Amino acid sequence: MKIRRFLGICWILLLWICVVPAYAGGDPIILGLPTSLGYLEGYESRNAAELAIEEINAKGGVKVGNEMRPFNLVTADTRDSEPGIPVSEALMAYEKLILQHKPHAIVAGFFSSEALLASMDITSKHKLPYLATIPMSPKLQEKILENYDAYKYCFRLCYDAPSFAKSYLGALKLINQDFGLNKAFFVIEEALWAKAIAGKTAEWLKSQNWTVTGDQTFPKSTTDFASTLLKIKNSQTQVIVFISSMPSVVTFADQWRTMKVPAVVTGLLPALCGEDIWKIHNGKVKGIVNLVEAGCMPLKVIPESETFYAAYKQKFKKPPEASHGTGATYDAVYVLKEAIERAGTLDADKVVAELEKTDRKGSIGRVRFAKDHQVVFGTNPAENALAIVFQWQDPGVRVAVFPPVAATGKIQLPEWMKKK
């Protein structure tokens, strides 16, 4: 009887070992997330990191050598996207986070390209693997290629300005082919990344024999666009190239519709991306052509984007609303986990070497880094990450129009531009 009882206990223990995951019991791996937490991309990136960490820790954590360790997130509000906040103040918040919490890596990171570029020496000094998911200036890659040993710790998972332009220009080409429109006016936020997109777009328009009817750069504090829209209305413009991450884009869209400006609004308007925006603005966004990163919008061609989108919606009781960064941050945490496990250590140089070998299917598509540490974006999610151009159409839905692999409809002109 005693033997049978003993064997029974052994069987239960064996079953427990096989079925129950090895819960993380080691010291936590600290992930730092310094960004503008008051802005959409900032707080949604924090949410996405929390979601990924919750999932990973629930499955036992991260295997570092023979030890399972949990992720732990620490944040700092750098406010670098806010008008009037100097870069130096954002850098102080970053260094304070590093000295106070001693993170092993950084995810999401600064909101503005200016702050990201200025922080690269700090990141290098502390040897912190840094996976950026919000700023878009291509100068990041330039600095990495110029001084790899110093800046090799920096990677970027969101689209950069050239990647954005590649998808965006595909939509402009459709507008030209379908409607014969070829006169564009630029309205650009005073920011490095926005100017980079505008530069690429202007080069392409010139090569395609478009006419640029004018351009207007505006500071982040701008809240009224009536005079700019009047100028556009009087310049025979047919397409507006609008690039800005500021919430004031809502005002621009409202004024455009009220004034019935005879030009299609296109570009990057993050505040008008979320699936609830149509309802919030009573359909006033109808006709606007916008661009988002996969993950911020679920796509059938990327099942991982649908899984992430549903999990985010369930946890936070609302869907992602940002144009980019949310899915990329979720993927960044998993990319880092896998790199640490392959390295078998938290040694930064060894983790960086494994990050460079990343190849996984994420919510943004296939995640692979180029030599310059930028995730490669393209038009086929089986090969690259994906950016989607969509248009708000009746009855309040985001209709994907580019690239063809994800398109579910075609671009339509605003009612007041249609021939009667």
Side-chain angles (χ1 to χ4, degrees):
M1 188 68 179
K2 290 183 178 178
I3 293 175
R4 288 177 62 184
R5 182 179 298 171
F6 175 75
L7 290 175
I9 293 172
C10 289
W11 171 249
I12 292 171
L13 285 173
L14 180 62
L15 189 65
W16 185 85
I17 291 170
C18 294
V19 172
V20 178
Y23 287 107
D27 293 335
I29 299 169
I30 308 298
L31 298 187
L33 195 150
T35 195
S36 275
L37 293 173
Y39 276 64
L40 190 58
E41 284 78 7
Y43 64 75
E44 283 200 353
S45 291
R46 179 200 57 201
N47 290 350
E50 288 178 354
L51 174 61
I53 288 171
E54 183 178 281
E55 292 174 352
I56 290 169
N57 288 348
K59 293 179 180 176
V62 185
K63 188 176 183 182
V64 186
N66 295 320
E67 186 178 32
M68 297 300 291
R69 298 174 61 172
F71 272 140
N72 186 29
L73 187 70
V74 294
T75 63
D77 188 1
T78 54
R79 302 177 60 202
D80 54 298
S81 65
E82 297 179 23
I85 299 298
V87 169
S88 58
E89 190 171 315
L91 296 182
M92 287 174 62
Y94 181 40
E95 286 222 83
K96 183 180 178 183
L97 178 142
I98 293 172
L99 297 175
Q100 186 173 347
H101 297 288
K102 297 180 171 48
H104 297 94
I106 302 294
V107 292
F110 287 105
F111 191 101
S112 74
S113 296
E114 288 83 351
L116 171 63
L117 297 171
S119 72
M120 290 175 73
D121 287 325
I122 299 173
T123 302
S124 176
K125 182 176 76 174
H126 294 281
K127 292 189 174 184
L128 284 170
Y130 188 121
L131 282 71
T133 62
I134 302 175
M136 296 166 59
S137 171
K139 290 187 179 297
L140 172 71
Q141 298 99 291
E142 292 175 17
K143 293 190 70 168
I144 293 170
L145 292 176
E146 286 172 2
N147 191 348
Y148 174 83
D149 289 339
Y151 301 132
K152 65 181 180 181
Y153 305 98
C154 295
F155 295 78
R156 175 161 49 203
L157 280 86
C158 68
Y159 47 55
D160 65 345
S163 304
F164 173 95
K166 189 175 180 180
S167 293
Y168 176 51
L169 298 180
L172 292 183
K173 193 172 184 179
L174 288 178
I175 290 173
N176 177 253
Q177 288 176 348
D178 292 350
F179 307 109
L181 308 185
N182 62 0
K183 296 177 182 175
F185 192 105
F186 286 70
V187 185
I188 308 297
E189 176 188 320
E190 185 67 52
L192 276 178
W193 67 272
K195 290 179 180 177
I197 290 174
K200 289 287 181 186
T201 304
E203 285 177 17
W204 182 85
L205 293 181
K206 186 178 180 181
S207 72
Q208 300 298 309
N209 296 318
W210 282 55
T211 300
V212 175
T213 55
D215 63 84
Q216 183 83 46
T217 301
F218 64 91
K220 293 180 178 179
S221 56
T222 301
T223 57
D224 187 351
F225 296 92
S227 62
T228 300
L229 284 164
L230 188 60
K231 189 185 298 183
I232 293 172
K233 197 171 184 179
N234 294 327
S235 65
Q236 296 186 323
T237 296
Q238 298 166 324
V239 177
I240 299 172
V241 177
F242 190 94
I243 309 293
S244 172
S245 63
M246 293 293 102
S248 55
V249 63
V250 173
T251 304
F252 180 87
D254 282 349
Q255 292 178 328
W256 164 74
R257 176 162 286 276
T258 301
M259 295 170 68
K260 292 188 177 351
V261 178
V264 183
V265 174
T266 69
L268 181 60
L269 304 91
L272 302 180
C273 285
E275 70 173 51
D276 294 335
I277 292 300
W278 179 285
K279 186 177 179 182
I280 292 170
H281 294 287
N282 297 317
K284 291 182 178 178
V285 295
K286 182 180 176 181
I288 290 177
V289 178
N290 210 338
L291 192 146
V292 295
E293 209 167 62
C296 293
M297 181 171 162
L299 301 167
K300 290 191 181 302
V301 292
I302 307 177
E304 292 80 5
S305 71
E306 295 182 304
T307 302
F308 161 71
Y309 196 88
Y312 185 101
K313 205 169 177 177
Q314 181 176 16
K315 179 174 174 58
F316 299 104
K317 309 306 177 191
K318 61 184 301 186
E321 295 179 336
S323 62
H324 71 289
T326 314
T329 302
Y330 177 81
D331 291 343
V333 177
Y334 276 97
V335 164
L336 185 63
K337 171 188 181 288
E338 293 170 0
I340 291 172
E341 291 184 338
R342 289 195 300 271
T345 174
L346 292 174
D347 179 89
D349 291 315
K350 292 179 180 177
V351 171
V352 165
E354 294 302 325
L355 282 171
E356 292 175 338
K357 300 173 186 174
T358 295
D359 188 353
R360 82 183 310 269
K361 291 181 179 178
S363 71
I364 62 172
R366 189 171 179 179
V367 180
R368 292 185 295 176
F369 294 107
K371 186 179 179 182
D372 59 10
H373 288 190
Q374 167 66 45
V375 160
V376 181
F377 276 75
T379 55
N380 181 0
E383 295 297 325
N384 307 120
L386 208 64
I388 309 298
V389 182
F390 73 89
Q391 185 180 39
W392 281 111
Q393 296 181 7
D394 284 325
V397 295
R398 297 175 293 182
V399 176
V401 296
F402 188 86
V405 70
T408 56
K410 301 188 73 172
I411 294 173
Q412 300 175 0
L413 293 178
E415 294 89 346
W416 59 89
M417 287 184 70
K418 293 178 180 175
K419 293 180 180 177
K420 298 180 180 177

